[in-house]
Amino acid sequence: MRFRKTRQFDNDLIILPNHIQEAARKQFHLFKQDSRHNSLRVKKMQGFKDVWEGHVTQGYVFTFHWERDPETDELIAVFRRIGTHAVYDNP
């Protein structure tokens, strides 16, 4: 599976505490192996078309959407935001 990050995601990530950044790296490695792993608690967000959410920890979440590569038709996860539950206001 391929994935990419938005500029906003990168901006969000660098201001997180170091231990949350490390937890996020572990969760994204797991996501790459199995995007439906139970510990990620991935589900579609209500009220936002085609935006999904997942969990880094109980208090930190990430949002993403899926795209298809027009040349290969490969599915790409696009990570949009990461942070506290406040990211739900603008995923």
Side-chain angles (χ1 to χ4, degrees):
M1 170 191 310
R2 289 179 33 202
F3 55 91
R4 68 178 176 85
K5 304 174 288 181
T6 64
R7 181 175 291 134
Q8 182 62 57
F9 182 92
D10 284 336
N11 292 340
D12 291 344
L13 184 62
I14 62 173
I15 63 172
L16 294 177
N18 289 338
H19 70 283
I20 299 298
Q21 290 182 31
E22 180 60 29
R25 279 190 281 281
K26 289 178 183 177
Q27 290 297 81
F28 293 132
H29 179 72
L30 184 60
F31 185 97
K32 187 174 183 181
Q33 302 301 314
D34 179 6
S35 63
R36 296 186 186 273
H37 192 279
N38 287 341
S39 74
L40 296 168
R41 292 181 283 161
V42 169
K43 65 180 181 178
K44 190 158 178 353
M45 286 189 69
Q46 294 182 351
F48 295 94
K49 183 176 171 45
D50 300 325
V51 178
W52 294 72
E53 65 179 87
H55 287 77
V56 174
T57 65
Q58 187 173 1
Y60 286 85
V61 297
F62 60 93
T63 62
F64 66 98
H65 67 270
W66 296 102
E67 292 181 358
R68 289 228 174 249
D69 183 310
E71 295 178 10
T72 65
D73 201 41
E74 184 178 9
L75 199 57
I76 302 168
V78 180
F79 294 103
R80 303 162 58 102
R81 299 292 310 269
I82 186 169
T84 65
H85 292 130
V87 301
Y88 290 150
D89 295 336
N90 185 19

